[in-house]
Amino acid sequence: MNASTVPPASPPPSVPGTDVRQESLIEYPSQFPIKVMGARVDGFVTALTHIAHQFDPAFDAASIELRESKGGKYLGVTLTITATSREQLDELYRTLSSHPMVKVVL
């Protein structure tokens, strides 16, 4: 086979909205649960509540769900916020992940 019979490589599609990394499966606004895990220490839930309020002023602290680890050393906290954009969620995840009391954000 010579070079003249090999079809040229096709460039990736450049149609707006086709970049899978930029598309979202979430419809905004929506209620969005975020699970946060950290050591079971005083002030942990209060710190998470403060962060949630920064990103969702209408956040209801009464909606927080808590689950202790089997040994009681760690605490899982579910925060359900009103998500308004992917940017809001990305920044919330970054803020939670960088907090010194937080071990994991899901």
Side-chain angles (χ1 to χ4, degrees), residues 96-103:
L96 288 167
S97 297
S98 66
H99 193 281
M101 298 173 99
V102 172
K103 302 293 184 200

Side-chain angles (χ1 to χ4, degrees), residues 31-104:
Q31 294 299 297
F32 192 86
I34 298 172
K35 295 184 186 275
V36 184
M37 288 170 258
R40 187 174 170 256
V41 296
D42 289 341
F44 182 53
V45 175
T46 302
L48 298 180
T49 302
H50 177 73
I51 292 169
H53 275 290
Q54 287 179 309
F55 289 89
D56 177 8
F59 176 72
D60 180 8
S63 69
I64 294 174
E65 297 175 33
L66 304 176
R67 174 180 263 173
E68 286 186 26
S69 65
K70 192 173 184 178
K73 183 176 179 181
Y74 296 97
L75 186 64
V77 181
T78 301
L79 308 168
T80 302
I81 63 134
T82 301
T84 57
S85 69
R86 179 176 177 160
E87 293 77 18
Q88 174 209 30
L89 287 177
D90 288 347
E91 188 59 32
L92 175 56
Y93 272 89
R94 277 191 289 275
T95 301
L96 288 167
S97 297
S98 66
H99 193 281
M101 298 173 99
V102 172
K103 302 293 184 200
V104 178

Side-chain angles (χ1 to χ4, degrees), residues 3 5-13:
T5 61
V6 176
S10 299

